Amino acid sequence: MATPTADIGLIGLAVMGENLVLNMEDHGFTVAVFNRTTSRVDEFLAGRAKGKKIVGCHSVEELVASLKRPRKIMIMVKAGSAVDAVIDQLAPLLEPGDILIDGGNTHHPDTTRRTRALKEKGLLFIGTGVSGGEEGALRGPSIMPGGNPDAWPHVKPIFQAIAAKVDGNVPCCDWVGPEGAGHFVKMVHNGIEYGDMQLICEAYHLLHALLGFGADALHEVFDRWNRGPLDSYLIEITRDIFGYRDPESGQPMVDLILDTAGQKGTGKWTVISSAELGVPLTLIAEAVYARCLSALKEERVRASGILKGPAVESFSGNVQQFVDDVEMALYASKIISYAQGFALMRAMARESGWTIENGSVALMWRGGCIIRSAFLGKIKEAFDRNPALDNLMLDPYFQGELERSQSGWRRVASVAVSHGIPIPAMSSALAYYDGYRSDRLPTNLLQAQRDYFGAHTYERTDRPRGEFFHTNWTGRGGTTASTTYNA
Ligand code: 2AM
């Protein structure tokens, strides 16, 4: 058999897989490729891979034989059982110390399970988030690897070479943590992406429905916002979307698109995870539910003729001031969303015994991925100042930014409410801000209610924490406290 020549193998030549291969090759690595439907290998070799250091293989055995040791194989197939099928095919052909990498959108518990199972066989598993879409995969994605830490030194030179770069030459890729940590962080990235997109849509709704701004005016506003603290990929593409006209009708394309959204599930997983960990992730939850509500198109159309809103005149305030207020509302809400997302990662790290460095995550998201922005640089600085920061809002910079933007944020919330325009993400963000900064919430009453109907007991303001009391509120039912009723 010929001497192995390839630095890494890749299985799954859909567009993400192909683009990653071309990116690796472009950085000097020889890549062996395989796809279940082998005609795809031939098409790739004859097409985009022609003349490049890419070794086409027609079986997994051939792929394994073409790799230098320790072998490194990246799996880019559909998340779920396909990943297990490929791993089961490969594992018997590999030797201890060989490395398998899943670069798909896998749910993190699967990655934890695979990392553990393969470790038993001496194989080193990595589950990595790859973000940036097709373009990112080709030109520089954000890469978030986690799993067996022994694999990282072998994979690092390849991953950091192909990753997006910021601030000169800093790669948007670093080791995230053990087991499913990489895929967990990618999941939170996607949740934050849901939140960012929903916030932008709410800003659009306010400017469009309330101020009557059309696509051209919106294009201008987003162009200006993209040069301020909101500077980001998503604001930039939104600006460009408003500038795009339907080639046939000449109308703004955005006006012709049906207002119902789909979702693939990563936003939902993020929200489920927040509920399991008991971390408020209200903004992303609202963003997920806003998509669900949008999908009820026929119901909404029927209800629009039945349910009445406020009888408010059209907007009568200062238009320029209101546009600036909406910018502030968007910006402040975005700070809340990231504060909640980073708090979730901190809680998951604690719960799982993982080490996830929030500053390092912020750096990985700075470039390459969909939520890339200048703002993430500020988040990185905040976690550099204090890696153990409980909540991003408490960092002096973000505290100041929230203070600066909250009057506009509050004005937007009240105008939206009085005009009947839904801003679930912006208003829930404000509720979280006001809740988090409250030293006293109405939960004393909640505890009284729980104790009244279920003898759940309560602690007292005039006694030390940890002492529990029960009141016989009705004079009936005795004085026995419930100790086994905690959900
Ligand atoms: P295919 O071209 O043979 O369908 C995205 O669907 C990628 O995942 C494709 O490269 C596809 O291969 C691959 N894929 C899907 N299910 C698979 C499986 N069970 N085993 C191997 N590859 C699979």
Side-chain angles (χ1 to χ4, degrees), residues 450-458 468-483:
R450 295 177 69 228
D451 191 57
Y452 187 110
F453 64 67
H456 293 306
T457 76
Y458 51 84
F468 293 87
F469 299 88
H470 170 58
T471 293
N472 184 353
W473 297 88
T474 58
R476 301 185 301 272
T479 51
T480 316
S482 157
T483 48

Side-chain angles (χ1 to χ4, degrees), residues 128 141-145 152 156 159-161 163-164 170-175 360 363-365:
T128 185
S142 160
I143 309 179
M144 300 151 244
W152 179 230
K156 186 178 173 180
F159 275 15
Q160 293 198 334
V170 185
C172 295
C173 170
D174 205 348
W175 186 246
S360 155
L363 175 67
M364 278 180 258
W365 293 349

Side-chain angles (χ1 to χ4, degrees), residues 291-311:
R291 291 194 188 193
C292 302
L293 185 66
S294 82
L296 305 175
K297 175 74 175 176
E298 280 88 32
E299 263 182 75
R300 289 190 288 115
V301 170
R302 261 183 278 130
S304 70
I306 301 170
L307 302 174
K308 300 282 173 271

Side-chain angles (χ1 to χ4, degrees), residues 124-432:
L124 313 181
F125 188 69
I126 288 183
T128 185
V130 180
S131 175
E134 299 167 20
E135 179 80 8
L138 186 62
R139 308 202 186 282
S142 160
I143 309 179
M144 300 151 244
N148 192 323
D150 296 340
W152 179 230
H154 301 282
V155 172
K156 186 178 173 180
I158 304 179
F159 275 15
Q160 293 198 334
I162 64 166
K165 306 289 184 306
V166 289
D167 301 337
N169 210 25
V170 185
C172 295
C173 170
D174 205 348
W175 186 246
V176 175
E179 306 189 318
H183 273 133
F184 179 81
V185 163
K186 172 61 171 31
M187 177 191 80
V188 176
H189 163 282
N190 287 24
I192 288 181
E193 181 184 313
Y194 273 58
D196 279 359
M197 293 167 76
Q198 173 64 21
L199 286 172
I200 291 173
C201 291
E202 291 178 11
Y204 157 58
H205 199 177
L206 289 161
L207 301 182
H208 185 63
L210 203 57
L211 303 185
F213 278 25
D216 291 341
L218 290 163
H219 177 84
E220 251 176 62
V221 169
F222 276 82
D223 186 50
R224 184 150 42 80
W225 287 357
N226 199 40
R227 283 180 264 126
L230 290 174
D231 171 9
S232 62
Y233 171 72
L234 281 169
I235 293 283
E236 182 187 319
I237 66 162
T238 304
R239 173 198 69 194
D240 294 346
I241 287 167
F242 287 127
Y244 191 92
R245 286 178 180 271
D246 175 35
E248 279 173 35
S249 64
Q251 282 178 254
M253 197 66 216
V254 69
D255 293 343
L256 299 171
I257 295 176
L258 192 72
D259 54 332
T260 64
Q263 45 188 318
K264 285 197 184 158
T266 42
K268 183 182 78 181
W269 292 343
T270 317
V271 174
I272 291 172
S273 165
S274 78
E276 283 170 352
L277 289 165
V279 176
L281 197 78
T282 53
L283 192 143
I284 293 171
E286 290 292 357
V288 170
Y289 293 130
R291 291 194 188 193
C292 302
L293 185 66
S294 82
L296 305 175
K297 175 74 175 176
E298 280 88 32
E299 263 182 75
R300 289 190 288 115
V301 170
R302 261 183 278 130
S304 70
I306 301 170
L307 302 174
K308 300 282 173 271
V312 191
E313 302 292 309
S314 57
F315 184 74
S316 57
N318 178 325
V319 169
Q320 189 47 55
Q321 161 87 57
F322 190 70
V323 174
D324 292 345
D325 284 352
V326 173
E327 182 183 15
M328 289 299 107
L330 174 44
Y331 178 53
S333 305
K334 183 168 162 135
I335 295 173
I336 300 302
S337 182
Y338 284 68
Q340 293 185 339
F342 277 95
L344 176 65
M345 289 189 285
R346 218 167 124 70
M348 184 62 180
R350 267 203 198 127
E351 167 89 4
S352 313
W354 298 345
T355 310
I356 299 179
E357 282 180 33
N358 278 348
S360 155
V361 171
L363 175 67
M364 278 180 258
W365 293 349
R366 270 273 279 115
C369 60
I370 305 296
I371 63 170
R372 63 183 180 260
S373 64
F375 177 73
L376 277 159
K378 296 290 184 191
I379 297 181
K380 164 94 173 61
E381 286 169 20
F383 286 114
D384 284 349
R385 273 190 288 276
N386 179 6
L389 194 61
D390 277 326
N391 189 300
L392 192 62
M393 296 187 293
L394 298 175
D395 171 73
Y397 174 78
F398 285 107
Q399 181 216 319
E401 292 297 271
L402 286 166
E403 207 171 300
R404 182 172 75 78
S405 46
Q406 71 172 285
S407 53
W409 189 15
R410 290 183 191 282
R411 277 193 296 272
V412 166
S414 40
V415 168
V417 168
S418 60
H419 285 76
I421 294 185
I423 49 163
M426 287 179 182
S427 58
S428 71
L430 188 52
Y432 174 79

